Structures are given as C-alpha cells and as structure tokens.
Amino acid sequence: MAPGARELHGVGVGRGVVIGPVLWMPGPLAEPADAGRSGDAAAEQGAVRSAIRSVVVELRDRADRAEGAGRQIIEAAIQMAQDPVLAEQVDERIEAGATAERAVYEAFRSFQEQLTSLGGLMAERAVDIGDVAQRIIAVLRGVRAPGVPESDAPFILLADDLAPADTAQLDLNLVLGFITRRGGPTGHTAILARSRGIPAIVGVGADAEVAEQTRVILDAASGIITVDPSDAQVARLGNRATASTPPVAGRVAPGALADGTSIPLLANLGSPQESAAAVALGAEGVGLFRTEFLFLGAQTPPGVAEQQRQYEQVLSQFAGKRVVVRVLDAGADKPLAFLGAGHEDNPALGLRGLRALRARQQVLADQLTALANAQDASAASGHPAELWVMAPMVADAPETRFFVDLGRQLGVKTVGVMAELPSIALVADQVLAIADFVSIGTNDLTQYALAADRLLGSVAAYQDPWHPAVLRLVGLLGNAGAAAGKPVGICGEAAADPQLAVVLVGLGATSLSMAPAALADVRAELAGVTLERARAKAAAALAAESAQGARTAAATA
Ligand code: PEP
Ligand code: MG
C-alpha cells in the first residue's frame, strides 16, 4: 500500500475496477418529533416558506438540465412544492402548535395518503410528494436531502445501503460504481449492480468512512477499496480500470459439456431492455425474469394490459427460445408497496414470494392472465417464444399444486416452481410429480439452509453456495428431476461461478441461468468436462465438510 493510502475491504460484485471521487448518499431522514413548537408561529411559517423557495430553486435547476420524462417529473414536483393548499395546511398546523418540520411532514403525508387512495397515476405521484417533503425538511434541518447526490462529474457512490429501486435508477453516465456499508453478495442490490454492469463493493462495515470527494480505487474483483491512492498506484491499474465485458462476436455455440451433453445457458433479467445485451452475450433464452424489478416504484398493482406489454416485449426478443418468468417476488429487501406485508421483525422469514401473492390473489391472477395473454400473442406472432412461468418461495407439494393449478386454469402452458427453501428439496419427489419444472434459487436456498441473512455483511461468510449442505439439497432436487424426467435448472448466482457450475451439472442441473456477463466463462468451463467428470467432481464436493473443502475437492477430482 502507498504511504498515506488506506484500504477498506468488502464483498466485490463483478470484476470491474473504477477510480473516482466519493460522494455520500444520505439515508432517509428520521421522522420529525411530535414535540410541539416552542418558537414563534410566524417565524416557523417564514422558515417553511424560505425552505420551499430554496427547494424550488434547486429543482428548477435540475429540471433545466433534465430532458423528456425526467424533466416532466421534476416540474410536477415543483408544482407540488408550490401548491397553495398544501402551504395553507402547513400554516394551519403550525398555528395549532406543530414545529415547522412536523407541520410539513404531516401536511405532505396526508396529501400523499389521499393520492395513494386514488390509485393509478395519482398513486405514482405519491412517491414524488414524499420526496419533496423530505427535501423541505432537510433544508429546515440544515442537512443534505436523502437520495443519490447531484453531480455534474462522474463519481463513486458511498451509501449505508441502496434499495433495489435506488440501484435501478442510477445514472450510469455519472455513477462509476458504488460502495455500501451493509449488504451481502447475493442481496438484490448486488444482483442489480451485476446485471447493470456496475462495479460495486458491498458490506464494508457499519463504520467505514471516506470523506466526500476523496479519490478511491474500487477493485470489485478483490473487494478492496484503496482510499486516496498515490498516482503510481493509479497508473499501475493501466487499462484494467476501463475494461468491461466485450460482447461476443458472431454466433456462439450453445452450452454443452465436452461429451456433447447439452446444458442450455440462459440469462437472468430484470427488464425487457436488458434482452438485447443478453442475446449479444450468447444467452440461449431467459432462465429467470425477475418481474418485481419492473414495479419497484409502483404504489398500486400494475394492470393486466401494462404487464402484458412488458412480457410480450421480452418474448419477442427470444423467438424460438425458452423464457422463464417468475411471478412477483415481493418482501424482505424487495418491498412492493401494493403487496406490502407491513412491518415484520424477520422479513426474510415472513410473507414473501408466493405467500404474499396468496394473501393478494387478485394480483397473482392478473399477473398470470397477463402472462397467458403474452404467451398467446407470441404464439400468434409467427415467431413464438416458449413461456415457462414459476413461483418464488414455494415450500412444499400443496403450495406447488395451488400454483400449478391456478397457472394452468388461467391459460399458462408450462408451470413450475422455484426451489429456494430446504423444505422443498426434502420433498422434491412430491413436488416434481406436480410441477412441469423446478428452478433452484441458490441465493435463498443458501440463506435458509445456513440461516444467514443474505443482506447482512456480518454473516457473508456463511452465504456460500459451495457449502456441502447446500450442494446436498441441490442433489436431492437433481435426482428427483431425473427420476421424474423433468427439467431442474439453476438460476441463483451460484450458476455464474464456472467451477461451481460444473458441480451443479454433476448434481443433475439441466440448465444454468446467470447474469449475462458470466455466460462466456461458464460456457468455456463446461466445454472442458464430460458428464462423468462433472459427476465425480460433484461427489467429491458432497463429501467435503466445508465450502472451502468442497472447492478444493472439486478442483482436484
Ligand atoms: C435466488 O434466491 O437464488 C433467486 C434466484 O431469487 P432472488 O435472488 O431474486 O431471490
Ligand atoms: Mg430468491
């Protein structure tokens, strides 16, 4: 390390290296206390008016620099900030004894609730009104407003944590990479970073500090952040700092083992817009389309027509190929306002995935209808894709039967389930007698097998899918799939690790789905081993006592 330079360590996401100044992203503001005003009402009212003026100036400046839909949204926010009725309500609350902050908070919240109850486009605006209120309160408090900071120059974002919605909205022309204090390698923030090709390091620790504008090197491959590097350290990076995954030139051979056994290599996607890049990188279809990423900001359930449009868009880009769509997986770190479970002390063990959908069956029925319509439209287009639909967080055979029956009843032809809970692996034979296919979500399967929250950096070491306990669960599912003659794919991050991919195939996985950037390395690794060898590696890994032991055993088998 250069003299003066300091290192922070975390879990790297991706392989990129970026250099840039750090900007801090403030978290949401604490709710203003309901303590009652001690100062003069007129002074508090004046302070609110002046805070609104400065928020409007700032928003106007942003609107001038934005284009299209972005500009319209900011202009709508300016109108809300200047709404005379809202201003009156703030004044009244101050007269009645509230502090300036509390009055803004309450008046805007009540307006927000009214918009939410109206549904549709109005409900979408409710989020923006909350954002305006936070900006006004931040000015009153003399702190920076929450959210991704404004900057004209590229920067590396440092945050306590990022919600999936924050990650989805990052402007890639400006955000070179990000560092979070919390979070684990398979949290959804990390998954989105991977899918958007943003180098990131997560879980650097609750007290990691880097002063604003300090230059850092973020090396995702090693998980090391070099704070204030010397010029020599920067120069040593050479063009590694700009390297990114090149698209594959020409046609790519389908995924196969050295003996010709076919292992389709599929893409994990979060939006139809990611399809073209996945195809360019050689995806032979989609193995996991995470539909909840489409609706992270929505306040009300998306309509059938709106959903159908998005699904048709994906299907149209994979003509002749398989597209596996997962119905909404809400809960834990992917809260959807319209499927909300309210506060839960242990949300990963709460009303997640299929459980949340069973509590709101109309939302599930609408989504399955939209998918069935998209499937039929694709079939009628003359360039059909093969739609498979699956449910997340399914526990056992009765839950499988519920989902498969409903899917078929609503017109979906191929219906399966995800294996993410140890329980489903233990009754895999029963489940595969009902479902058309199973797709193993190794991120959650690892989280639940080892009881290690995938969002917690402090237990990141447990979140290792190489653990023989996880591999044995995968083996149970692989064997049950072979006995039933039905496909058992992998769609968790484990499939993107080339050596582990071989072991998973040896355990019976019939397809592998991953972030498109990982396809080339996995394809190359598979091409070098026969099925017999993959099985020998799997057997060696199953017999190991630890994740590290399994890695070594597989490498030498
Ligand atoms: C998984 O759990 O492995 C999975 C693919 O689903 P998600 O990561 O979206 O929870
Ligand atoms: Mg999962």
Side-chain angles (χ1 to χ4, degrees):
M1 215 193 322
R6 179 165 68 92
E7 282 184 355
L8 296 173
H9 296 248
V11 182
V13 178
R15 310 202 63 74
V17 183
V18 286
I19 308 170
V22 159
L23 285 188
W24 168 247
M25 177 173 128
L29 299 172
E31 181 180 323
D34 191 7
R37 159 171 67 77
S38 55
D40 171 48
E44 298 277 298
Q45 288 165 340
V48 173
R49 271 190 281 283
S50 142
I52 289 176
R53 272 197 300 278
S54 75
V55 166
V56 168
V57 168
E58 186 198 318
L59 290 175
R60 173 95 50 225
D61 181 47
R62 280 181 54 201
D64 288 345
R65 284 181 284 126
E67 287 167 16
R71 187 186 183 117
Q72 283 171 14
I73 290 175
I74 303 171
E75 277 169 355
I78 294 173
Q79 275 183 13
M80 289 175 202
Q82 292 177 314
D83 187 308
V85 180
L86 261 171
E88 232 169 74
Q89 290 177 0
V90 172
D91 277 353
E92 280 168 16
R93 284 180 157 85
I94 294 176
E95 297 283 355
T99 60
E101 284 181 26
R102 185 76 199 175
V104 170
Y105 172 79
E106 284 180 0
F108 278 69
R109 188 183 55 183
S110 128
F111 189 34
Q112 207 175 4
E113 284 166 359
Q114 285 169 32
L115 289 180
T116 306
S117 66
L118 292 173
L121 274 181
M122 286 300 177
E124 302 295 330
R125 294 281 80 85
V127 178
D128 304 331
I129 195 96
D131 178 63
V132 172
Q134 291 259 307
R135 286 173 185 278
I136 299 170
I137 295 169
V139 175
L140 288 167
R141 239 174 237 189
V143 299
R144 269 229 324 259
V148 178
E150 287 285 301
S151 169
D152 293 330
F155 61 96
I156 293 175
L157 185 67
L158 171 65
D160 206 36
D161 201 359
L162 285 173
D166 296 325
T167 322
Q169 281 159 20
L170 293 180
D171 176 352
L172 296 190
N173 292 321
L174 288 171
V175 180
L176 300 168
F178 66 77
I179 303 166
T180 63
R181 287 174 167 165
R182 296 192 285 128
T186 59
H188 289 94
T189 304
I191 288 171
L192 270 168
R194 215 171 268 126
S195 75
R196 300 197 69 199
I198 313 174
I201 297 186
V202 301
V204 292
D207 24 272
E209 289 289 354
V210 183
E212 289 255 282
Q213 298 294 352
T214 308
R215 186 166 68 155
V216 302
I217 299 173
L218 183 167
D219 182 349
S222 65
I224 297 175
I225 299 145
T226 312
V227 182
D228 204 8
S230 65
D231 289 343
Q233 278 178 305
V234 172
R236 263 203 299 283
L237 286 175
N239 52 16
R240 259 190 86 208
T242 49
S244 62
T245 316
V248 178
R251 242 183 82 77
V252 191
L257 301 178
D259 56 17
T261 308
S262 162
I263 307 291
L265 297 180
L266 312 169
N268 289 355
L269 302 183
S271 76
Q273 289 71 32
E274 294 166 22
S275 306
V279 172
L281 288 164
E284 296 167 57
V286 179
L288 169 62
F289 186 78
R290 289 183 164 101
T291 55
E292 62 281 359
F293 284 175
L294 297 173
F295 308 113
L296 287 172
Q299 296 299 304
T300 50
V304 172
E306 181 193 347
Q307 293 192 64
Q308 185 181 333
R309 199 166 17 84
Q310 306 245 31
Y311 306 144
E312 277 184 41
Q313 227 177 310
V314 185
L315 292 174
S316 69
Q317 297 187 65
F318 289 93
K321 298 182 172 141
R322 177 197 319 173
V323 175
V324 185
V325 176
R326 170 172 79 187
V327 294
L328 298 166
D329 183 17
D333 67 326
K334 290 180 294 186
L336 292 179
F338 58 89
L339 268 181
H343 173 79
E344 294 174 326
D345 280 342
N346 290 305
L349 304 182
L351 208 60
R352 271 197 67 184
L354 184 63
R355 304 167 184 190
L357 289 167
R358 290 190 86 166
R360 295 289 307 276
Q361 287 203 24
Q362 191 56 49
V363 174
L364 176 58
D366 283 352
Q367 186 172 24
L368 288 168
T369 303
L371 284 162
N373 292 349
Q375 161 198 273
D376 296 346
S378 170
S381 71
H383 311 282
E386 199 185 324
L387 175 73
W388 295 14
V389 175
M390 63 186 182
M393 300 289 298
V394 177
D396 53 21
E399 284 197 356
T400 303
R401 190 173 293 110
F402 162 80
F403 183 71
V404 171
D405 286 353
L406 184 64
R408 292 211 181 112
Q409 209 179 309
L410 293 172
V412 179
K413 294 202 169 72
T414 307
V415 193
V417 293
M418 288 186 75
E420 308 188 275
L421 311 186
S423 62
I424 201 170
L426 297 170
V427 292
D429 55 331
Q430 299 172 355
V431 167
L432 275 146
I434 303 164
D436 292 326
F437 69 98
V438 163
S439 181
I440 306 177
T442 50
N443 307 329
D444 277 314
L445 190 62
T446 307
Q447 149 164 278
Y448 296 122
L450 289 152
D453 188 332
R454 58 194 273 199
L455 300 181
L456 269 188
S458 55
V459 289
Y462 287 91
Q463 294 150 18
D464 192 335
W466 274 97
H467 196 289
V470 179
L471 299 180
R472 287 179 186 211
L473 292 168
V474 172
L476 292 177
L477 289 153
N479 291 343
K486 292 183 179 172
V488 173
I490 309 279
C491 65
E493 299 296 296
D497 169 341
Q499 282 74 37
L500 185 49
V502 169
V503 169
L504 295 169
V505 168
L507 291 171
T510 54
S511 65
L512 300 169
S513 189
M514 64 204 77
L519 287 164
D521 287 352
V522 172
R523 182 180 295 108
E525 191 70 29
L526 293 185
V529 285
T530 60
L531 185 57
E532 197 186 342
R533 184 90 194 283
R535 286 184 175 147
K537 284 175 180 288
L542 287 182
E545 290 184 354
S546 66
Q548 198 41 49
R551 275 190 185 85
T552 313
T556 48

